[in-house]
Amino acid sequence: MKKSVLTRYRVMAYVTGVLLVLLTLGVIAKYGLQIDGAAKFTTAIGIAHGWLYVIYLVFAFDLGSKAKWPVTKQLWVLLAGTIPTAAFFVERKVSRELEATVADAAPAVAEA
């Protein structure tokens, strides 16, 4: 597996996680605190998160299929983008697990 597969998953996990936390805060501001302007913020962040979550799903599925994960693990990684802050923890765990695999697959550099 190429390192770029893991890298693009990591980027999308962080982007999706940040947007989901912002969306959660926006919903709290809109409905809990009834702050003016929170509705527009929540709408904009919700749309961005929705579209970028689809990209996250594609990258996470690609990573899982190349890592040959079982279906249950694949589902947990895919659902991590729907639970606030879960994407950060799952990304860290997946990265630690796969970095050794990616490092072993890299071609060795001969020393002169």
Side-chain angles (χ1 to χ4, degrees), residues 62-80:
D62 183 43
L63 178 70
S65 64
K66 288 181 179 167
K68 297 184 181 7
W69 287 339
V71 174
T72 52
K73 183 172 185 174
Q74 183 83 20
L75 287 174
W76 281 113
V77 172
L78 294 174
L79 289 174

Side-chain angles (χ1 to χ4, degrees), residues 12-112:
M12 287 311 300
Y14 277 110
V15 169
T16 303
V18 167
L19 286 175
L20 188 57
V21 169
L22 290 174
L23 181 60
T24 303
L25 293 174
V27 168
I28 291 169
K30 179 179 175 182
Y31 295 108
L33 305 175
Q34 298 176 350
I35 296 175
D36 292 333
K40 288 182 182 180
F41 175 80
T42 303
T43 301
I45 295 296
I47 290 170
H49 172 71
W51 282 105
L52 292 173
Y53 179 67
V54 172
I55 297 170
Y56 167 81
L57 289 175
V58 171
F59 289 167
F61 183 78
D62 183 43
L63 178 70
S65 64
K66 288 181 179 167
K68 297 184 181 7
W69 287 339
V71 174
T72 52
K73 183 172 185 174
Q74 183 83 20
L75 287 174
W76 281 113
V77 172
L78 294 174
L79 289 174
T82 64
I83 303 167
T85 70
F88 304 118
F89 297 107
V90 171
E91 179 277 328
R92 191 73 232 142
K93 183 177 179 190
V94 166
S95 294
R96 286 185 180 153
E97 176 186 314
L98 293 179
E99 279 179 347
T101 306
V102 171
D104 291 341
V109 177
E111 294 185 25

